[in-house]
Amino acid sequence: PTKGLLLTGTGEVAGGPFGGDRDFAKLFGQASTYHKHLENNVLELKLRAGVVDAYGDSENVPIYERYFAGGANTIRGYRERRIGPRDPGTQDPVGGNSYWVANIEETFPIYPDLIKGAVFFDTGSVEEKIGDFGSGNLFSGAGVGARIKTPIGPVKLDMGYPLDDVQGESKKVRFYFSVSQCF
């Protein structure tokens, strides 16, 4: 896309009156806006946020329903799912009940209608509790990339660098490859 606004939101309720062995409610929202300038450059601003909490008989949200950040689709420069709360014993990521991620990306043509270059800055946080939303450690990453049109869909190649330290993780350039769908 070169201009416009995309808004999405979801709400989920599990357990309670619907049965099941886990009771939780989850909200997620995303806003992306695109601005074309300097003839063929496009600036994308994206903000995502979500909260999830247990209710009723459940004390905790299942790990597979929690929020995670880090990696190709959230905060580039970090390993997948490595930003946020960790298990105190193993240091494995356990996810959080609240999160937000903001991305700024500028794309520009390298070879018209085939290859675009990109520069980006990503930032955000994942917190253990809903009440801590936006109040914890902020993690940011920056980098460059390429967007290539192929017959199977757009291919993204990114190189990100973490701007903040994560316990137990090395601070180095990371590479990401992904295939996405068109807007």
Side-chain angles (χ1 to χ4, degrees):
T2 58
K3 68 178 183 174
L5 176 66
L6 175 64
L7 300 171
T8 60
T10 60
E12 300 176 36
V13 177
F18 304 108
D21 59 349
R22 301 291 182 132
D23 303 322
F24 64 90
K26 189 174 190 178
L27 294 173
F28 173 80
Q30 177 175 307
S32 299
T33 182
Y34 303 87
H35 305 278
K36 187 174 181 178
H37 62 99
L38 299 175
E39 291 190 39
N40 291 315
N41 288 18
V42 177
L43 176 66
E44 176 188 6
L45 306 171
K46 182 188 293 186
L47 177 63
R48 294 170 272 182
V51 293
V52 61
D53 202 11
Y55 70 92
D57 295 335
S58 295
E59 291 184 26
N60 297 309
V61 175
I63 193 168
Y64 52 85
E65 292 292 344
R66 296 179 195 161
Y67 292 103
F68 293 85
N73 295 312
T74 56
I75 304 174
R76 292 163 283 191
Y78 299 90
R79 288 179 53 203
E80 195 74 28
R81 302 171 69 125
R82 295 299 181 161
I83 294 174
R86 304 270 183 121
D87 179 279
T90 65
Q91 291 302 308
D92 290 335
V94 295
N97 287 7
S98 67
Y99 102 121
W100 69 271
V101 171
N103 311 95
I104 300 171
E105 183 169 293
E106 175 87 16
T107 57
F108 49 91
I110 293 175
Y111 189 80
D113 298 322
L114 184 61
I115 301 173
K116 292 181 181 181
V119 294
F120 58 83
F121 175 79
D122 305 328
T123 191
S125 104
V126 179
E127 302 304 326
E128 184 176 355
K129 299 176 184 175
I130 289 179
D132 295 334
F133 182 86
S135 65
N137 293 329
L138 186 65
F139 295 92
S140 301
V144 297
R147 311 292 177 255
I148 305 165
K149 287 185 182 178
T150 71
I152 61 169
V155 171
K156 288 174 59 172
L157 304 169
D158 287 327
M159 180 179 69
Y161 185 78
L163 300 178
D164 301 289
D165 294 322
V166 173
Q167 182 182 354
E169 301 290 322
S170 60
K171 198 170 178 183
K172 64 181 183 179
V173 171
R174 299 198 190 286
F175 295 92
Y176 305 95
F177 169 83
S178 59
V179 179
S180 63
Q181 61 186 15
C182 294
F183 178 73

